[in-house]
Amino acid sequence: MSHHSSDERLVQFIREHHPSPPSPKENIEDTLIAQIETEAQPTNVTPFPRRRYQGWVFGSAIAASVLLLFTSVRFLQPSSLSPQETAELEAFLIENWEAVTMADPAETSWFIPEQPKSSNRR
Amino acid sequence: MLTEPNTNLSDTELVKCCQTNNRAAFRLLYRRYQRRVRSTLYQLCGESMLDDLVQEVFFRAWKGLPKLRKPKTFSTWLYRICWNVACDQRRAFAQLREQKQILAQQEPSLNSADLNTMHYQQLVQQGLQALTFEQRAVIVLHDLEDVPQKEIAHILDIPTGTVKSRLFHGRKALRDFLEKQGVVL
């Protein structure tokens, strides 16, 4: 006797002989509907469940943050100079450098405080 | 407002109607499922307060319907509510069940002289009551209500392997009980 067939016979037996529940009260359906109408008020049913709403909010927030980060990185990056700008910059640097290294000392004489001419008075 | 000719609507359609506060649709769902809910609760909890328990299941279902995001899983979801209601009542019925078990143990000895006179229905009922609550739930859902093992796992929130195990041990205990009473399977 296989275990499977034994199971089948058991299931068949309990299906045939399982006790049926007693009949419900006649008015149970109406009582239930009345209870629903008086106590349960699922009128706050939203076609947009809260959980989904939260997901939408978080998703949008994350997307906005990523977009902001991307654009800020783009704008903060130093843009490359055009050949003309490079040439101008180079010329400025050379001119500036020459002005510093080859400057006339007289031009900076104003920087040295003047000595009082006391000896001439004597 | 739904009328009787619309009873061929699917569960999904009815659930969606209920989610727009359509009580008539819920009445149709009640009519469609009340026998199964009633039978399951009866096997799990017995006759006492059966009407109240059935009502509680459908009341909870109505209140919870707005949160049901997959209407096609309505039947599984309803069985789950059924299981929760049965569990909630378990403690209250524990004492009553113990009394029934005592009676179940005494009765065979009273009737052992003439096993043929024993009613098979009574035997099955006693056999089911003799199982653990968890084993009984699996036997009732699987063997009496034809719910697939995977769905039972979902309803009871246990792994499928546990469903198989409870089914195996529950059937064995039930078979042993019935054979002890002289039933040849």
Side-chain angles (χ1 to χ4, degrees):
Chain A
M1 184 172 59
S2 75
H3 185 72
H4 183 68
S5 61
S6 168
D7 272 359
E8 278 183 356
R9 282 196 296 276
L10 173 71
V11 172
Q12 184 64 28
F13 182 83
I14 62 172
R15 280 191 180 193
E16 276 178 26
H17 302 293
H18 80 274
S20 302
S23 301
K25 290 176 199 164
E26 280 183 14
N27 60 345
I28 188 171
E29 184 180 319
D30 292 330
T31 310
L32 173 69
I33 299 298
Q35 188 187 11
I36 282 168
E37 287 181 352
T38 54
E39 292 183 42
Q41 300 286 333
T43 48
N44 54 351
V45 178
T46 53
F48 202 41
R50 195 178 167 188
R51 220 167 160 184
R52 207 174 287 173
Y53 171 73
Q54 284 173 345
W56 176 76
V57 168
F58 284 122
S60 302
I62 290 167
S65 305
V66 169
L67 188 67
L68 187 67
L69 182 70
F70 178 74
T71 48
S72 59
V73 165
R74 287 274 299 172
F75 281 114
L76 290 174
Q77 264 183 352
S79 56
S80 57
L81 298 171
S82 67
Q84 190 188 347
E85 286 171 327
T86 310
E88 283 175 6
L89 181 64
E90 197 177 333
F92 169 77
L93 286 174
I94 290 168
E95 189 183 334
N96 202 38
W97 180 254
E98 283 174 350
V100 169
T101 53
M102 300 169 71
D104 187 357
E107 288 180 10
T108 55
S109 59
W110 61 271
F111 207 60
I112 302 163
E114 284 183 12
Q115 296 293 325
K117 295 176 181 176
S118 54
S119 56
N120 292 343
R121 286 181 185 171
R122 288 179 189 173
Chain B
M1 182 85 178
L2 293 167
T3 51
E4 284 302 318
N6 289 321
T7 48
N8 57 356
L9 286 172
S10 68
D11 282 2
T12 304
E13 288 166 319
L14 287 174
V15 167
K16 283 179 180 171
C17 287
C18 290
Q19 287 176 332
T20 59
N21 208 10
N22 188 326
R23 292 176 180 84
F26 188 69
R27 194 185 276 267
L28 293 179
L29 276 178
Y30 169 81
R31 287 177 187 171
R32 190 172 287 178
Y33 282 97
Q34 68 93 15
R35 279 188 190 176
R36 274 181 261 181
V37 168
R38 192 173 182 79
S39 177
T40 304
L41 283 172
Y42 177 61
Q43 311 303 337
L44 290 176
C45 302
E47 191 176 338
S48 175
M49 290 180 73
L50 184 59
D51 283 344
D52 291 340
L53 294 178
V54 172
Q55 197 164 327
E56 177 66 16
V57 167
F58 282 98
F59 187 63
R60 285 191 194 184
W62 169 256
K63 285 202 289 186
L65 269 171
K67 295 173 193 164
L68 182 62
R69 288 191 291 162
K70 291 180 183 172
K72 66 178 179 181
T73 62
F74 176 76
S75 68
T76 305
W77 180 74
L78 191 65
Y79 274 125
R80 192 174 172 81
I81 295 176
C82 221
W83 168 247
N84 288 339
V85 167
C87 286
D88 289 349
Q89 291 298 320
R90 192 182 172 193
R91 284 183 187 174
F93 289 158
Q95 202 175 351
L96 185 68
R97 217 170 43 241
E98 278 172 18
Q99 288 170 356
K100 281 188 176 178
Q101 281 176 359
I102 292 165
L103 286 173
Q105 285 165 357
Q106 288 173 348
E107 206 158 345
S109 62
L110 293 171
N111 297 336
S112 58
D114 190 7
L115 284 172
N116 290 330
T117 58
M118 289 193 80
H119 201 278
Y120 281 155
Q121 271 199 354
Q122 208 173 4
L123 279 179
V124 171
Q125 189 175 22
Q126 289 171 353
L128 286 171
Q129 294 295 322
L131 299 176
T132 66
F133 191 58
E134 288 76 15
Q135 285 174 349
R136 201 186 325 154
V138 173
I139 295 275
V140 167
L141 289 172
H142 189 269
D143 291 346
L144 297 182
E145 296 294 326
D146 272 334
V147 181
Q149 292 184 3
K150 211 174 176 180
E151 267 187 55
I152 296 174
H154 187 64
I155 292 164
L156 305 182
D157 200 18
I158 53 175
T160 314
T162 309
V163 174
K164 288 179 198 285
S165 165
R166 286 183 189 173
L167 195 59
F168 172 78
H169 290 293
R171 281 176 176 172
K172 186 178 182 302
L174 194 56
R175 189 184 298 108
D176 289 348
F177 176 86
L178 292 171
E179 284 177 350
K180 244 183 210 175
Q181 307 308 317
V183 176
V184 181
L185 294 168

